[in-house]
Amino acid sequence: MTQKKLWKAAAALLLLCVAVGFAACATSGMTHEEKVAERQRVAQFVADAVANRDFKIEVDRVTPQRMSPRILSYGYGVTVKGDSIDSYLPFFGRVYRAEFGEQNGLRFEDRIAQWQAGQTKKDRYVVELLVRRHMEILYYQFDIFDNGKISLMVRSDNRDTMYFTGEMVTE
């Protein structure tokens, strides 16, 4: 290849990189007022969901007590509706006292034995619930933020503690 062709190819590549960079920096099209309105809508949804005991969260990251953090595939989460919980979470770690039969991590549907919720800060709610399952007592603590982000701690008297992060389903 001649030097002139190399310069043209380099110029074309540079132009392509600049175009991709500008496209990546393009705005979402929402005005400042629309963004503020969307944040307020999500904050009101979170407040209503906690007050009504009716919310669903999807988790995307787990931090086991004795292992390194992991990114989770789609589909893991927890649904709370009234006095019942549908937990579909993985478990990684040590089990101190196991039940006989099939073990499915933290995957179950059951009734909530105790519920406590409150707003600890202007932008954060803490929901604590207790579930009694056969030989095990599970303690779920949700930190739910106004923007819909959550952190969840699941503690048990029979297993290692698990930490999850994710988001509340707001639609």
Side-chain angles (χ1 to χ4, degrees):
M1 246 191 202
T2 65
Q3 190 162 355
K4 188 175 183 181
K5 287 183 181 179
L6 284 173
W7 278 106
K8 283 184 180 179
L13 183 62
L14 179 64
L15 184 61
L16 179 65
C17 289
V18 169
V20 168
F22 279 127
C25 293
T27 61
S28 66
M30 290 179 71
T31 64
H32 177 69
E33 292 80 18
E34 291 171 333
K35 290 178 184 177
V36 169
E38 178 64 15
R39 272 183 278 195
Q40 289 174 343
R41 182 194 71 78
V42 171
Q44 186 61 48
F45 182 90
V46 168
D48 292 343
V50 170
N52 296 330
R53 293 185 181 190
D54 187 7
F55 58 88
K56 179 179 182 179
I57 63 161
E58 293 177 348
V59 296
D60 55 8
R61 190 172 190 86
V62 60
T63 306
Q65 183 175 342
R66 298 174 193 273
M67 298 178 188
S68 59
R70 298 174 186 212
I71 303 227
L72 297 174
S73 61
Y74 175 79
Y76 289 107
V78 176
T79 302
V80 173
K81 197 166 208 59
D83 64 347
S84 65
I85 182 173
D86 182 4
S87 177
Y88 187 74
L89 299 172
F91 178 77
F92 306 100
R94 184 176 291 168
V95 177
Y96 301 107
R97 184 176 59 196
E99 299 177 27
F100 289 108
E102 188 176 328
Q103 295 295 315
N104 290 327
L106 297 168
R107 299 175 188 164
F108 62 87
E109 290 181 41
D110 213 332
R111 298 190 68 72
I112 298 170
Q114 292 179 4
W115 169 281
Q116 184 176 0
Q119 189 170 9
T120 59
K121 293 185 178 180
K122 182 181 174 193
D123 66 340
R124 186 172 112 194
Y125 296 88
V126 175
V127 176
E128 299 170 342
L129 52 94
L130 193 75
V131 179
R132 290 187 174 92
R133 289 199 39 78
H134 311 292
M135 298 176 10
E136 185 172 29
I137 297 174
L138 294 162
Y139 171 77
Y140 282 64
Q141 179 181 331
F142 300 88
D143 288 327
I144 305 172
F145 296 88
D146 274 351
N147 61 1
K149 303 287 185 195
I150 64 100
S151 62
L152 168 63
M153 178 188 64
V154 180
R155 192 173 64 221
S156 168
D157 56 346
N158 295 344
R159 311 172 188 232
D160 284 345
T161 301
M162 301 283 291
Y163 301 92
F164 300 91
T165 58
E167 204 166 322
M168 181 181 281
V169 178
T170 59
E171 297 174 1

